[in-house]
Each structure stands twice: as structure tokens, then as C-alpha cells.
Amino acid sequence: MASPFWEQHCCLPILPSADISELTRYPGGSYLSVNVGYSLHPIEDALAMLHLLRRNALADGRFRLVESVGDIEVTSGSEDRIALAFDLEDSRPLDGDPDNIALFHSLGVRSLLPTYNHANAAGGGCLDPDDRGLTPYGRTIIRTLGEVGMFADGSHCSRRTGLDIAEVAGGPMIYSHSNFAALWPHPRNIGDDQARACAATGGVIGINGVGIFLGRNRVEGRAARIEAMADHIAYGAELVGVEHIGIGSDFSFDGDQFNAEIAAAPENFSEDYTRWGPLQWVPPEDLLGLPPHLGTDVDNPDARPRVAGLDEVLARRGFTDAERAAIFHGNFARAAREVWT
Ligand SMILES: [Zn+2]
């Protein structure tokens, strides 16, 4: 791998059973932002998850809890630990009080998206038929994120809400895990106008590895998903410049659990999540070109063999060492240095 890896969004089950050691499937030196709550979760759940992961990460010893970008730089230099911060999807965990942003920041949360798929008190969602923008409360949230030093994230929001975030943020905004609708017209993917507005703030778009958002959700499509991620990276680099593209794979460490969660709470999703069958993800091993993780699934032929990782595929397509390092780490690090004051 050309450089330490910055993973802007990945998901353990948001349950007491979450196993912190799963995160060590990413190599030492990586930075990971792990989700601790979305529209399903009241504040108590998100805080309980944060306390659990922080306690278990410290007890495990292979992690460094991130307070500043400097913590990530130290970690990526030493390559023996994983730098860890957290993110929230939806403003429900704020419990209606923007002051809770400072509380979450003190516990290591470094990004928040105001609206998960469907409209709430803060703004519009990407799966809604009507495209609502940020509400006055949503604007207060975005301004407070900037004051506290946390990324404002437009993923899962409606188009107008995303454009409003770019206007209100007052600094770099991100799309932590969003692909391009121009390549695959899924409502979770973003328009060129959203990407341009994000880039104009100095922000970064993290390309994800979710099959249904790549248009490659076949169970056996592992290599095709890496190629499709490279397609989205190449498209974004052409559209807004390579300095505005990163990776937020959205990998779900327990995919069966998340697919069951979608089935159990369909009001948070739509047919656009379920019509291609169970969601498939790009695991860290495929993303980084490492030997596959077989887990308990040692007899599964779909899990073998090693596939060419994203770095290898991008190099083959002519991305230079410096460009790949920027996509894998440098771009999000630059935005974080500006926002996480
Ligand atoms: Zn998400």
C-alpha cells in the first residue's frame, strides 16, 4: 500500500455485542471513523456506544483515540496502532440540542450528517420525493459543527440540504461516503452540482464500496466493486479535481446484522436499498489488496482469491503515487486540519 489509509466511514453493529478487535482488519497506521448512531438511535444509545468503543479500544491496546489531526499523523508514522474517531449519521442523537455537539466532540466524534435518508427537524433526506433544504435548526447545527470543530457531512441528505450545507459550513464540508449519480443514478448518490459545491468549500467526497450504490451488488462481484470504486474516483477527479476525492468505504463488519436491521426498520430506508437483494460491501482486505478475510467462512469460494486492491487498480489507470496518497489519506487530512480546530 502506498500510504497510510484514511477510512472516513465504517460500521460496527451499534449494539453492546460490537467487537472492537474487528477493526484490526485494517492495518496499523490507518485512521478509522466508526459510526456510533443514526436515525434509529436516541442520544442514550449513541453515548452508550461511544463509551463502550472507547473503553474497549483502550483495553485492547492496538488503538489510539483521536483528539486532533496530530494524533493521526503520529499513528500513521508508527504503524503499530490504529487511530480511531467516530461519526454520527442523522441529528436524532443530538436530542434536539445543538449543545450536545460539544459533548459528542469531547468523546471523539469528528463528523455528523444532519439527515439520514428521510426528512427530520434539520433537513431533507435523499430518499424523500420532495427535496427540502436545511431548516433553521439544521443551519444552527451546521454552524455549531464549525465552531466546535467537526466535519459537516452531506451524505444521506437531500440534494438541496447538501447544497445548503456547503453554503452554511463556512469551511470544508465533506460527503463522507457518497458516489456519483452521473455513473449510477441511485438516490443515495450525489449530483455533479453537489460535488462542485463541496469542492468549492475545500471539502472532500469519500467514495464508498457498497454494491447497491456502485451498481455492482452481485455476491461474486468483488473485483468488479473495486473497479467501480476506481470509476467513481476517476469521475470525481475529472469533475472537481483529485484533491477533493477520498474514501469512506461504509464497510459493515456484520453485514448480515445490517441487512436484518434494514428489514426490521424499513421506514429508515426504501426499496432502493432492498431491490438488489442483501447488500454487498468491499471489505478492507479487498480495498487494500490484502489476503482475504475468511473468518468462519473458510469454505466460501466467493471469498477467494485475493483481488487487486484499489491502489493497484488506480496505479494501473495512471494515477501517480502522489495522487493515490492524496486519495488514500492526504485530502481528508488536509480538510481535517482546517476544520478540527
Ligand atoms: Zn451511511
Side-chain angles (χ1 to χ4, degrees), residues 49 106 136 145 176 206 214 216 237 264 283 325 332:
M49 192 67 193
S106 73
L145 290 170
S176 60
L214 292 165
R216 303 282 192 285
F332 271 124

Side-chain angles (χ1 to χ4, degrees), residues 9 11 89 113 116-117 155-156 176-177 188 213 250 258 273:
H9 185 67
C11 305
E89 297 183 280
L113 62 89
Y116 187 89
N117 290 349
S155 288
H156 288 279
S176 60
H177 57 303
R188 255 289 276 121
F213 307 145
D250 201 15
F258 189 69
Y273 270 75

Side-chain angles (χ1 to χ4, degrees), residues 5 43 81 99 111 152 155 158 172 204 219 223 299 306 323:
F5 183 53
I43 187 167
R81 287 207 235 177
D99 285 349
S111 76
S155 288
S158 75
V204 183
V219 174
D299 297 323
R306 188 190 85 91
E323 287 170 339

Side-chain angles (χ1 to χ4, degrees), residues 68-282:
S68 69
V69 187
D71 294 326
I72 300 173
E73 281 158 1
V74 169
T75 310
S76 58
S78 71
E79 298 206 353
D80 62 343
R81 287 207 235 177
I82 289 172
L84 193 59
F86 307 97
D87 60 73
L88 288 169
E89 297 183 280
D90 204 73
S91 47
R92 179 175 176 194
L94 299 180
D95 201 29
D97 185 355
D99 285 349
N100 283 324
I101 291 170
L103 170 66
F104 280 111
H105 183 272
S106 73
L107 294 169
V109 174
R110 288 295 177 275
S111 76
L112 178 144
L113 62 89
T115 307
Y116 187 89
N117 290 349
H118 294 294
N120 59 11
C126 64
L127 300 184
D128 294 328
D130 58 327
D131 184 4
R132 276 184 252 174
L134 282 174
T135 64
Y137 170 62
R139 287 170 187 267
T140 302
I141 288 175
I142 300 304
R143 277 192 290 269
T144 308
L145 290 170
E147 287 159 18
V148 169
M150 214 188 273
F151 282 140
D153 182 357
S155 288
H156 288 279
C157 297
S158 75
R159 172 183 165 277
R160 265 190 60 202
T161 297
L163 295 173
D164 287 349
I165 292 171
E167 211 177 284
V168 177
M173 73 165 288
I174 65 168
Y175 284 91
S176 60
H177 57 303
S178 288
N179 298 340
F180 292 102
L183 294 189
W184 175 246
H186 190 285
R188 255 289 276 121
N189 292 350
I190 63 171
D192 290 358
D193 53 348
Q194 289 169 271
R196 284 197 197 93
C198 170
T201 69
V204 183
I205 299 148
I207 300 303
N208 69 57
V210 186
I212 61 168
F213 307 145
L214 292 165
R216 303 282 192 285
N217 201 56
R218 290 155 59 99
V219 174
E220 66 276 29
R222 291 169 56 219
R225 278 187 281 281
I226 299 288
E227 292 289 341
M229 287 185 79
D231 292 343
H232 283 267
I233 288 168
Y235 181 83
E238 183 69 31
L239 181 72
V240 294
V242 71
E243 66 273 25
H244 299 291
I245 304 298
I247 297 160
S249 83
D250 201 15
F251 179 63
S252 196
F253 284 89
D254 190 341
D256 290 344
Q257 186 276 331
F258 189 69
N259 278 306
E261 204 163 286
I262 293 173
E267 68 279 8
N268 290 320
F269 303 94
S270 78
E271 219 215 322
D272 290 310
Y273 270 75
T274 52
R275 72 172 61 160
W276 294 279
L279 270 63
Q280 307 296 322
W281 287 268
V282 172

